Amino acid sequence: MADKEPRRPFRGDLSRDEQLGTLPGDTRPEEVPELTECAAKVLARSADGDLFFVGRYPDRLHDLLSGVLADTPHLSRLHRLPLSLHGTGGRDLTPDERVQLRADLTASGITPAGMAARERPLVLVDLVHDGTTFGHLHRELRAWIDEERVAWNVIRRGLRYLGITVRRHTGPHTRRWQQHAEWTRELPASSVGNVSVPGPLWRYLGDCQGTIEPPFRRARRADPCAAAPRHDDRPREALGEAPSLRDHGLTRGARAQVHRALTAEPAFRDPWLRTLAHTLRSSGGSR
């Protein structure tokens, strides 16, 4: 089957104002403090890896962290993985869909050989309800790795899944999505983790945030128009919100909050996280 061109939905570069045009002013959501706390925990639980934000739901985390990490070496660790596997149900991808998915993953620097050669963990971050997207994506990656005959035992040590979940009361009867997903047993226990957030923040990310690009689900991935920019009011509002969050991440207040959250995490004992926290504290911020 012929190689396919990757299809990535349009999203302007938030660091280049000329790509954004005339946008609304400061449109930061009221959930900014909780979002900042969540972003800090995502950083702390990344195991010093490269963060790939899956689909549209974690966009605001990416936007905020692009400001927090703007003048640090960790900025290069942030990546968007614009795909969605919703709508697959229990059905396998068609051969054509699988080729397209692999082209899109390759465009994001994710291939079996590349995963095996990585020096840092590859951390996939997504908003999680029952882990369906992670499950589909993991099965597709495993099939690809097996076809390419790349050593899974090498890859599994550097592949991580980090879910953003609704905060619930903890206890012996609390249901956690990864405990009921058989595919997670292929990975070390430490490779599947969560950041729990208040219900209003989870609903904001999953239902209420403005989105720049349209849904990039299975039914749209073969549509060449799916990657074109949108021109209605919805993405314009989102393009105002996104740089507002990036700018907030540049401030001393945001970086101070991230620093406090990092120091409270168990991973703060690791040298890489202490170094990052020190960098954020000494960077000052824009205001």
Side-chain angles (χ1 to χ4, degrees):
M1 189 176 294
D3 291 340
K4 284 185 174 290
E5 291 295 322
R7 290 200 176 132
R8 303 171 67 91
F10 175 83
R11 194 176 203 257
D13 184 348
L14 301 184
S15 67
R16 300 177 63 182
D17 293 339
E18 68 272 13
Q19 287 197 12
L20 302 180
T22 302
L23 297 170
D26 188 344
T27 57
R28 285 175 289 176
E30 62 183 19
E31 294 85 359
V32 165
E34 292 85 0
L35 189 68
T36 306
E37 185 84 8
C38 176
K41 291 179 179 180
V42 167
L43 271 181
R45 300 174 194 183
S46 69
D48 199 22
D50 290 305
L51 291 162
F52 285 79
F53 295 90
V54 181
R56 303 183 305 162
Y57 295 138
D59 273 352
R60 293 300 170 266
L61 289 169
H62 178 276
D63 299 334
L64 179 58
L65 285 173
S66 69
V68 171
L69 301 175
D71 49 6
T72 76
H74 269 71
L75 180 61
S76 63
R77 309 283 186 92
L78 303 180
H79 310 272
R80 295 182 69 251
L81 187 57
L83 60 83
S84 174
L85 295 176
H86 282 295
T88 56
R91 297 173 290 125
D92 291 335
L93 299 184
T94 67
D96 193 59
E97 288 172 334
R98 183 164 289 115
V99 171
Q100 185 66 65
L101 174 62
R102 293 179 182 181
D104 296 340
L105 289 169
T106 299
S108 294
I110 299 176
T111 65
M115 293 168 72
R118 294 184 64 85
E119 296 181 355
R120 297 190 298 267
L122 186 157
V123 187
L124 298 165
V125 183
D126 195 11
L127 199 69
V128 168
H129 179 256
D130 58 9
T132 299
T133 294
F134 275 167
H136 289 316
L137 182 55
H138 183 80
R139 284 189 289 274
E140 291 299 325
L141 287 172
R142 282 291 280 121
W144 194 11
I145 291 164
D146 289 345
E147 288 178 26
E148 297 288 327
R149 298 184 179 181
V150 179
W152 167 243
N153 284 339
V154 174
I155 292 175
R156 70 186 290 272
R157 294 195 295 267
L159 177 61
R160 291 173 175 260
Y161 294 86
L162 187 58
I164 310 300
T165 61
V166 176
R167 184 170 299 154
R168 295 185 173 92
H169 294 295
T170 59
H173 301 295
T174 301
R175 183 185 185 278
R176 294 177 175 83
W177 68 271
Q178 68 267 34
Q179 296 172 339
H180 302 272
E182 292 187 3
W183 63 267
T184 62
R185 299 170 190 170
E186 297 184 329
L187 297 162
S190 61
S191 295
V192 182
N194 296 301
V195 173
S196 65
V197 299
L201 175 59
W202 198 92
R203 289 189 291 274
Y204 160 73
L205 292 173
D207 300 322
C208 302
Q209 67 168 305
T211 55
I212 295 170
E213 63 254 325
F216 209 48
R217 296 178 178 177
R218 178 177 186 171
R220 293 179 55 84
R221 295 185 69 78
D223 180 4
C225 296
R230 298 168 67 188
H231 299 289
D232 51 73
D233 289 339
R234 184 74 167 168
R236 184 175 181 275
E237 293 172 1
L239 274 171
E241 192 173 90
S244 290
L245 282 170
R246 178 206 60 192
D247 292 346
H248 175 69
L250 291 166
T251 65
R252 286 192 293 270
R255 293 185 177 189
Q257 183 182 356
V258 170
H259 178 271
R260 288 193 300 271
L262 294 182
T263 61
E265 284 287 302
F268 191 67
R269 63 179 178 271
D270 297 334
W272 74 268
L273 191 57
R274 291 201 302 272
T275 299
L276 176 57
H278 175 75
T279 300
L280 292 177
R281 184 174 59 183
S282 59
S283 64
S286 59
R287 57 186 183 276

